[in-house]
Amino acid sequence: MTLSDKLRAGKKPNSPWGHSIAHDDRFSLKLPWKETFTFGYHESSPDSVVPFFESTLGMDFEPAGKVHQKYCEEMKRLALSITEVLAISLGLDRSYYREFFEDGCSIMRCNSYPPCQEPSLVLGTGPHCDPAALTILHQDQVEGLEVFVNDKWYKVRPRTHALVINIGDTFTALTNGRYKSCPHRAVVNRHRERRSLTIFLCPREARVIAPEVPGFFTWSDLLRFTQKHYRADQSTLPKFKGWLLSLQDRNLDC
Ligand SMILES: O=C(O)CCC(=O)C(=O)O
Ligand SMILES: [Fe+2]
């Protein structure tokens, strides 16, 4: 994308879709060092990715739109198959989560991390757990992804033809913590641009998620919380619980 493509496709206020340069307003410690292009993929309108590319980036991007549309289609199919394995592992009917997620709008993000002269002063993506249910991540051959396990950051080295699957906070909530979301981050380097593709499996906005959080919540509540009130990090779910309870208290006071 050229600079003018990026400007044309720039995310509008209150819209989750489009091009953005890391949310520097939402970080306090290290400056984020990345660009993202975000769009939605919904099975009820599977052909909507190409028109989105054309309308935000221009007609030249039709072929890119087609590739990304196909990618989303295949990844959604894969994500739903993974939910079957997860359901079986929990002793549930294999289609239990498939039916739960089938009609949701997936969020697709193309990340680019340019080389940085001072990599120790920035972070590509700060430490966080993904708020959605499942993430399928494809990274190029440049290292950068790290996961936090037993108080240590470990590199997730790129492997040709391998995808990284992450559990997100929504799945943690749905399974009452039996599956735990995984804290991760992306660091940058001095020499090479790094690229990754992430697709997030989300429920339909109005879907009720139970029972981890008192007083049920919907996916759109969690989405609103992470977009408007609190940047997703390792404490999103406990912070979200507190926020929901404070809203309930406020409603009771009224
Ligand atoms: O680029 C990466 O490897 C990680 C990206 C990520 O964690 C995200 O988009 O949520
Ligand atoms: Fe993530």
Side-chain angles (χ1 to χ4, degrees):
M1 272 188 220
T2 62
L3 181 58
S4 64
D5 292 332
K6 291 175 187 174
L7 290 173
R8 189 164 6 130
K11 225 154 123 160
K12 309 281 174 300
N14 292 327
S15 163
W17 314 133
H19 179 270
S20 73
I21 296 176
H23 329 285
D24 43 1
D25 52 325
R26 293 206 270 157
F27 277 84
S28 50
L29 287 172
K30 290 190 171 181
L31 196 66
W33 197 262
K34 75 165 171 180
E35 290 180 33
T36 59
F37 184 64
T38 309
F39 54 93
Y41 173 75
H42 204 294
E43 271 170 343
S44 67
S45 49
D47 299 332
S48 62
V49 175
V50 174
F52 179 77
F53 270 61
E54 289 171 351
S55 62
T56 47
L57 291 162
M59 296 311 281
D60 291 352
F61 282 79
E62 187 204 2
K66 282 191 176 152
V67 172
H68 285 80
Q69 189 165 289
K70 186 73 189 151
Y71 183 80
C72 290
E73 196 184 311
E74 294 303 327
M75 289 303 117
K76 175 87 184 251
R77 202 202 310 265
L78 174 61
L80 290 176
S81 301
I82 296 170
T83 65
E84 290 192 350
V85 179
L86 292 169
I88 292 169
S89 76
L90 291 165
L92 299 166
D93 190 273
R94 69 184 300 152
S95 61
Y96 185 83
Y97 292 122
R98 171 180 282 280
E99 283 162 16
F100 191 87
F101 290 109
E102 217 156 31
D103 57 357
C105 176
S106 305
I107 301 172
M108 171 76 198
R109 192 168 287 155
C110 311
N111 300 306
S112 156
Y113 304 94
C116 176
Q117 291 310 305
E118 298 288 349
S120 63
L121 298 182
V122 301
L123 266 175
T125 303
H128 67 288
C129 292
D130 295 332
L134 271 188
T135 307
I136 303 181
L137 182 146
H138 177 267
Q139 48 178 343
D140 65 9
Q141 292 305 304
V142 181
E143 278 183 9
L145 178 64
E146 298 183 346
V147 284
F148 195 64
V149 185
N150 297 335
D151 283 339
K152 261 185 82 175
W153 286 104
Y154 290 89
K155 290 180 199 301
V156 181
R157 294 221 158 84
R159 283 203 202 176
T160 323
H161 307 311
L163 297 166
V164 179
I165 315 292
N166 269 345
I167 297 284
D169 284 341
T170 296
F171 204 73
T172 301
L174 264 182
T175 59
N176 233 340
R178 285 178 71 187
Y179 274 96
K180 296 214 174 350
S181 53
C182 160
H184 56 284
R185 68 181 184 184
V187 298
V188 299
N189 72 78
R190 220 181 270 273
H191 306 288
R192 291 179 69 186
E193 181 193 10
R194 173 171 181 269
R195 289 186 182 176
S196 67
L197 298 174
T198 37
I199 182 155
F200 303 99
L201 181 71
C202 310
R204 174 164 54 82
E205 285 205 357
R207 258 285 177 232
V208 172
I209 295 164
E212 159 79 347
V213 175
F216 307 111
F217 67 94
T218 62
W219 165 238
S220 78
D221 294 331
L222 182 56
L223 197 59
R224 182 159 58 103
F225 180 68
T226 52
Q227 296 278 318
K228 298 231 167 88
H229 299 280
Y230 189 80
R231 191 191 183 280
D233 67 10
Q234 285 136 291
S235 333
T236 304
L237 214 46
K239 292 270 190 294
F240 176 62
K241 280 187 212 177
W243 181 72
L244 273 186
L245 286 172
S246 73
L247 287 184
Q248 281 165 15
D249 289 349
R250 217 173 303 154
N251 287 342
L252 286 178
D253 288 348
C254 296

